[in-house]
Amino acid sequence: MLDWLNFGALALAVAVAAYKLLRIRGKPGADGIRYLCAFFCSIGLGLAVMAPPVLAAVSRIEPVPNLGRLVGNGLEMLAAYFLGALGRSIARPADTPRWLRRHGLGLAGALSLMGVLLTTADTEFTLNFVNAYSHDPRVVGYLAVFFCYILVCLFAFMAGVGGYLRHTGSGVLGVGLRFVVAGTILGILWAAWSGLRPAITLVTGRSLATTLPVGATLGSICMLLWLIGATLTAWGERITAPLRWIRALRALRRIDPLWRALRAAMPQIALHTGRGRPLPGVEFALYRRVIEIRDAQLALRSYAHPDAARWAGPTADPATVEAALLAAALVGHAHGRRYGAEHPFQDVDASLESESAWLARVARQYAHAEEVTRVRRLATAKVTGEAAPDTGQDRPIP
């Protein structure tokens, strides 16, 4: 079963790398994508070479026992090298060439040392290489060099993307990057487990071998997380489209009463555009409604009575105050009465989600809050010169 996982990982890795390379073909400044593609190709080939059927087939022609393992481990180290380069290209792009030279020399030196240790060790080919030879210091040294190099590169990647991750939001790109980071953290655990286990066996003489293929399982899960994270931007938008449509439709219905009231008073705020397709049309309609409401607010600011915010009362929350100002402004606009007061509106994040959520609160208060009804009544009385009805709520307001 794990053999097919290895071969499947190779196929997926090559497919993802080819897809990404085709998308950046001829585009300058895409070194990070190229490092990512090199990483996927290297780790996919490494996992395929390390599959037991491949190791067994190579053992029949290899001049030195377990040379196929050295090739597979070398490809895995090359993958870690490119992953570290990706992290450096994100954090410090100008320093990436120097990082590549320095760690490339380290990779060559580590592979040379591993080759010397493997050829001088008295080994025979076996699929159970780690458990069979953990008593040999040269084999343990070989494994220590291998896993230490991988750990260095994984930590370099984490250091590179750590600061960048803090600035990404909860969108598809941020989620995808978090999958890649999760795979890297699991890769660190895999390297630590696989590297410490033979060292403990050498020192204590006690084998930590398990019946479950812990190392291979962790490696496969790492590969899966990396693939999901790297491809999420390609298919994540399509998966989340229905959810975005539902959220946009809900927000559109919540702000609709406020939009209708403003559009009835100022028909000129409507943006005249063609109809969109069903799914993206809802999000576009929400975007239009938000812009139209904001345009109406700007146009109506001078029509609100200077005391409208005070009439709402000291306990009114910001959404109620803004709804009350709009109600007073519509009264002034209906009677052609300008006051020249510039009432500030609540400042929210400049995003469709934040704007629509805030306007939904304002719309709810505009339709249902007693404070808004009181302000509308007082504004009407002021503009018509009539006395406001004497209610228990109105009496404290001069």
Side-chain angles (χ1 to χ4, degrees):
M1 179 64 181
L2 287 175
D3 300 342
W4 289 109
L5 284 177
N6 285 22
F7 296 132
L10 171 61
L12 284 173
V14 172
V16 169
Y19 169 76
K20 289 191 169 291
L21 287 175
L22 286 174
R23 293 194 64 181
I24 65 168
R25 184 174 54 183
K27 294 182 180 179
D31 290 338
I33 298 297
R34 293 184 177 90
Y35 297 143
L36 182 64
C37 294
F39 159 74
F40 277 126
C41 289
S42 300
I43 191 67
L45 285 171
L47 290 175
V49 170
M50 293 297 292
V54 176
L55 288 177
V58 172
S59 68
R60 300 187 182 97
I61 59 173
E62 58 188 10
V64 178
N66 298 300
L67 185 61
R69 181 175 298 274
L70 177 62
V71 174
N73 290 156
L75 287 168
E76 292 168 341
M77 294 167 69
L78 184 63
Y81 168 74
F82 285 121
L83 190 65
L86 173 61
R88 180 52 61 104
S89 70
I90 293 174
R92 299 171 61 183
D95 189 52
T96 305
R98 190 167 66 90
W99 190 96
L100 287 169
R101 289 192 297 270
R102 185 172 67 250
H103 285 264
L105 291 174
L107 175 60
L111 284 173
S112 300
L113 179 58
M114 290 167 60
V116 171
L117 291 171
L118 184 64
T119 54
T120 57
D122 185 17
T123 65
E124 297 293 335
F125 170 75
T126 175
L127 294 176
N128 198 20
F129 180 80
V130 176
N131 294 329
Y133 294 109
S134 289
H135 62 276
D136 190 330
R138 288 164 294 188
V139 172
V140 175
Y142 168 93
L143 295 171
V145 173
F146 169 60
F147 290 112
C148 283
Y149 184 85
I150 288 181
L151 280 174
V152 168
C153 292
L154 292 181
F155 277 116
F157 172 77
M158 290 293 293
V161 302
Y164 182 78
L165 185 62
R166 288 191 292 269
H167 299 289
T168 58
S170 57
V172 175
L173 178 61
V175 174
L177 187 56
R178 284 170 175 82
F179 268 103
V180 175
V181 169
T184 305
I185 293 174
L186 198 61
I188 291 172
L189 295 177
W190 163 74
W193 160 264
S194 302
L196 287 176
R197 188 162 60 93
I200 292 174
T201 301
L202 176 65
V203 173
T204 64
R206 182 178 179 180
S207 175
L208 299 181
T210 62
T211 56
L212 297 175
V214 177
T217 303
L218 288 177
S220 299
I221 296 174
C222 290
M223 187 66 179
L224 178 63
L225 292 174
W226 281 323
L227 286 169
I228 292 175
T231 59
L232 192 61
T233 53
W235 52 266
E237 293 286 349
R238 294 180 177 87
I239 291 180
T240 59
L243 181 59
R244 294 197 315 271
W245 181 81
I246 292 172
R247 288 176 178 173
L249 182 62
R250 181 185 178 192
L252 190 64
R253 288 178 175 176
R254 291 173 68 186
I255 69 173
D256 190 63
L258 179 61
W259 174 79
R260 289 183 180 276
L262 294 173
R263 189 174 183 272
M266 305 185 72
Q268 66 271 24
I269 66 172
L271 300 174
H272 298 288
T273 58
R275 295 182 178 179
R277 292 173 296 174
L279 275 179
V282 176
E283 292 182 284
F284 182 62
L286 177 62
Y287 180 71
R288 286 174 52 193
R289 296 290 189 271
V290 170
I291 292 177
E292 291 168 356
I293 291 173
R294 289 307 195 188
D295 286 345
Q297 282 184 300
L298 290 174
L300 290 169
R301 289 175 72 175
S302 62
Y303 289 97
H305 192 279
D307 294 329
R310 183 171 61 85
W311 291 341
T315 60
D317 62 272
T320 303
V321 172
E322 188 159 318
L325 288 172
L326 283 172
L330 286 173
V331 171
H333 181 267
H335 292 83
R337 178 68 182 275
R338 288 180 180 269
Y339 296 96
E342 294 291 337
H343 298 282
F345 293 108
Q346 183 74 15
D347 187 22
V348 297
D349 292 337
S351 66
L352 182 61
E353 183 178 359
S354 299
E355 290 273 10
S356 60
W358 169 252
L359 291 177
R361 290 179 56 191
V362 175
R364 183 172 60 250
Q365 297 304 99
Y366 180 85
H368 303 293
E370 294 180 1
E371 295 91 341
V372 175
T373 302
R374 180 169 70 243
V375 170
R376 186 183 293 112
R377 185 170 57 248
L378 290 169
T380 303
K382 288 288 185 181
V383 79
T384 59
E386 299 176 358
D390 187 13
T391 65
Q393 287 181 317
D394 298 337
R395 193 174 297 116
I397 301 177

